[in-house]
Amino acid sequence: MTSLIVNGRAVEIDVDPDTPLLWAIREQIGLTGTKYGCGIGQCGACTVHIDGVAVRSCSVLAADVAGKAITTIEGLAENAAQHRLQRAWIDHDVPQCGYCQSGMLMAAAALLAEKPHPSDQDIDEAISNICRCGTFQQAREAIHAAAKA
Amino acid sequence: MGGSFSLHRRGFIIGGASLGAGLALGLDIPGGPKGALAADGAPEVNAWVVIEPDDRVIIRIARSEMGQGSLTGLAQLVAEELECDWAKVTTEYPTPGQSAARNRVWGDFSTGGSRGIRGSQDYVRKGGAIARQLLIQAAANQWGVPAKDCRAEKGIISHAASGRSISFGKVAAAAAKLTPPNDVALKDPKDWKIAGKGVARLDTADKTNGKMIYGIDVKLPGLLSAAIKDCPTFGGRLKSFDKTAIATLPGVVDAAPVGDSAVAVVADSWWRAKKALDALPIVWDDGPNANASSAATAAWLAEGLEDSQPAVVGNSNGDAKAAIAGAAKMIEAVYSYPHQNHAAMEPLNATALYTPERCEVWTGTQNGEAAFAAVVAASGLPAAKCEVHKVMLGGGFGRRGFTDYVTQAVLLAKQFPGRPVKLLWSREEDMAHGKYHPVTQCRLVGALDADNKLVGLRIRLSGQSILASVRPEAVKNGLDPAALQGLVATGDAQLGYDIPNLLVEHAMRNPPVPPGFWRGVNINHNALYLESFIDELAHAAGADPLAFRRGLMASHPKQLAVLDAVAERVGWSRPAPAGVHRGLASFMGYGSYVAAAAEISVENAGRIKIHRIVAATDPGYAVNPAQIERQVSGSFVYGLSALFFGAITVKNGRAEQANFDTYDSMRIKDMPKVEAIVMPSGGFWGGVGEPTICVAAPAVLNAFFAATGKRIRDVPLQKLDVGFV
């Protein structure tokens, strides 16, 4: 059994030792907001926080993050109704198909935690998620809006 | 968390919107089409509108939402005519099985070609207007007054003379029993109050908190997961596999053939299924295309550009050959465009549950009815015993208009009757088995007279036809009408220039790589060819590229208007900032007129920084200008990703790219702000999801020429070692 702390709750899961965190989250824990896009750490759709740092969960083994604080999109709001980024995402109508947006939001949230008022350049350097619908322009606006909120 | 998710039938129908009530699925898998109002018993005023007793309005949407926003736009059109309170509107998808059982009451489900709104606006607006009339009639009957003296506004029906009013929810049940009028008048768009406004999308909230259900997220009791490999060689087959090698791996249920070319491993989780599939010994019969290559295709297409080879004429006027023969100056160039993959963010998937009595599928599809037909065919069951439940698509771009993955899921599930099987492709499978953007080359020859006026133009395409592959009956006498999108004289993608002597030909050559509709598809390469070459002609004529184009557009005022709009906004008449260079492009596609201007700088001869994009669209009517702006900016991400990185190359009959590391896509750092100009001129209905993608590449390429003097005629830029800063 592997003990994970996901969104503040301890869960015991029975996974093969080579199971990526992404699939443990989706299939063993049942939280499907974290998405599979490439499996090789390229697209960022599976981004979660591990001890507050944005990490591509497809490229981390579940067994290697036992005991660390894992936050998924379902836990982004913590005890509030919405994280300010989620609010800004809605206000700016950012998502199109929406599939990559969990990862985009988690990447943006880690950036804001580190740099509360990021510049465009900070955004460019911190966020490398792929969005095939092309929501970058609205995502950038929403990040700036959330920083001011 | 952890297993608390439960399926509600209604939750599926509405594609993820939150609803408390509903029949828990549990072990009671939904039965046959029960009539769409069965979900919670609320009155269906007509096929398009359900009104709850508490005045909530549910609008039925037949087309699929895949990010393009037409779910919201179509709801706006219905709500506009219905005169309901927009704040009370939600949407739901009727199922293809319900539509089949009701004589296709919801019309066409297919969602592609930027037709979602323009292809159904007339009948969905009528659906809303008829529902309004029924509601008004029901209120009038209750009051004993003439319906003509009553009016509806924001969900309230009122009778001015008596001062009475009543809400939609109170009369919906009575309205549902009335006979609908045969015809209704639709509003003049200038009177729109809900349509025409940039209202927020209806499907956003659940896309920000992980709750939106895509096909990959479907859960059913006893669900099995499957990973699949189709023969990596195009047209090859499955010869054999040795399932004893994986029989003892944890969680593995079985390995099974799927059709005659694929094998799937079924397990208790997808990760275990994929691992076992990777370990499964498989022998392929590579088939007739084992030696196919992009290099061989390129040589074959180049041959098709020669006049000695057969071709069909797609558009002509005057005598282009004579004009070119007598030209003061002749300019000739050859361009090419590669295969490209859709690479939607959500890998293809479908979940199927088969029993000998019934087959149901849950999937993201751009064409619910085609998916339904695929389920009927693959299951071997009558249509009345089949159903497709549509869920949100994690991108489509044309790929999810195909049903290969649906067929696979059913063929696999038939081997595990009574157990739902979720078939999910890996990203690698998605790259290996696309329905790729067609491959083409193009030779263009222009003739300038002594005054540097364009007097003749020949455009000869050589390459792949999508229709020859997917709808061969649409190809008549060797002519695929879609292959010449944007270069023809009539229809929804017309050539926007007056050319006195013109000849447009197509030498159809179909390599063994399956082609498919793609976001923008044929206009992408046709616009790149024509709009780059027009730029070449302008420079050869010593003319300003804007002035040269304007001189050819006297009988294309709407095309000229969008071109002028971007030129004015970008400041074409004034010099660009130091070190910044501009390019223009203009085209028509999917019924809309579009144009773009790009400002770029180029460092070290090959590092491009895009500073600014201005893009204009005249879609006739703009149902939701805010969403049109988003479609336009997104189309540049898709189009410029294609320009910089997009190529699927073939070697030994297989795609060489396997994932985003070899098939890259733009990131936020590469993308400037797109200044979208939405300028609906009225009188026609054009699409918006695709048109502007086609001007993305030529605007940047023309700016690249302005910056470097180098004309790029072969893409993607990556292979020329040109990339982003």
Side-chain angles (χ1 to χ4, degrees), chain B residues 176-235:
Chain B
K177 297 188 182 109
L178 298 174
T179 304
N182 287 327
D183 206 10
V184 285
L186 297 178
K187 286 185 183 176
D188 187 320
K190 72 175 166 41
D191 298 326
W192 283 349
K193 294 173 289 192
I194 300 169
K197 302 291 186 289
V199 301
R201 295 176 65 116
L202 295 170
D203 54 348
T204 296
D206 283 352
K207 291 175 176 174
T208 66
N209 57 23
K211 287 184 184 161
M212 180 61 77
I213 299 297
Y214 300 83
I216 195 173
D217 305 323
V218 166
K219 293 176 189 170
L220 289 167
L223 183 72
L224 296 172
S225 293
I228 192 165
K229 258 186 202 168
D230 204 331
C231 180
T233 308
F234 296 113

Side-chain angles (χ1 to χ4, degrees), chain A residues 6 9 11 16 18-20 23 26-27 29-30 32-33 35-38 40 42-43 73 86 89-90 92-93 95-99 101 105 123-124 127-128 130-134 136-138 140, chain B residues 1-2 66-67 200-201 204 207-208 210 214 216-217 219 269-272 275 341-343 345-347 393-395 426-427 627 630-631 633-634 637-638 659-661 665-669 673-674:
Chain A
V6 179
R9 292 167 64 177
V11 281
D16 304 338
D18 59 355
T19 305
W23 293 104
R26 288 185 57 83
E27 301 199 307
I29 300 174
T32 55
K35 300 303 192 208
Y36 164 61
C38 69
I40 60 168
Q42 283 284 321
C43 77
I73 185 70
Q86 290 169 314
W89 240 244
I90 292 168
H92 289 258
D93 239 359
Q96 290 187 26
C97 89
Y99 189 82
Q101 299 288 308
L105 277 160
I123 292 170
D124 289 347
I127 297 179
S128 57
I130 293 176
C131 171
R132 295 286 287 167
C133 296
F136 297 138
Q137 182 168 333
Q138 292 75 33
R140 186 188 297 278
Chain B
M1 152 167 134
M66 52 188 156
R201 295 176 65 116
T204 296
K207 291 175 176 174
T208 66
Y214 300 83
I216 195 173
D217 305 323
K219 293 176 189 170
S269 76
W270 189 78
W271 173 250
R272 284 175 157 176
K275 249 192 337 180
N341 196 19
H342 302 80
M345 288 306 299
E346 181 193 12
L393 288 70
S426 65
R427 175 60 62 195
Q627 298 311 323
R630 284 159 177 75
Q631 286 306 296
S633 62
V637 175
Y638 207 79
N659 206 317
F660 285 121
D661 54 345
S665 195
M666 280 179 92
R667 313 299 166 115
I668 198 168
K669 74 175 177 60
K673 181 172 171 153
V674 175

Side-chain angles (χ1 to χ4, degrees), chain B residues 30 42 54 59 79 104 139 143 183 218 233 237 282 298 355 380 397 402 444 461 466 481 495 533 582:
Chain B
D54 66 358
I59 293 175
R104 288 192 88 211
W143 296 330
D183 206 10
V218 166
T233 308
R237 285 162 187 260
I282 308 170
T355 67
F397 312 120
F402 289 85
L444 301 103
L461 286 163
I466 303 169
L495 177 66
F533 190 66
R582 293 184 182 132

Side-chain angles (χ1 to χ4, degrees), chain B residues 27 52 81 123 178 195 197 223 233 257 305 316 359 389 399-400 415 424 464 489 511 552 561 575 578 648 663 675 711:
Chain B
L27 295 169
E52 306 269 2
E81 298 292 342
Y123 58 78
L178 298 174
K197 302 291 186 289
L223 183 72
T233 308
L305 296 175
S316 70
C359 185
H389 305 278
R399 183 63 182 90
R400 283 190 161 89
Q415 301 175 66
L424 168 65
Q464 200 164 13
L552 300 169
I648 292 289
Y663 192 87
E675 299 168 45
R711 183 64 63 181

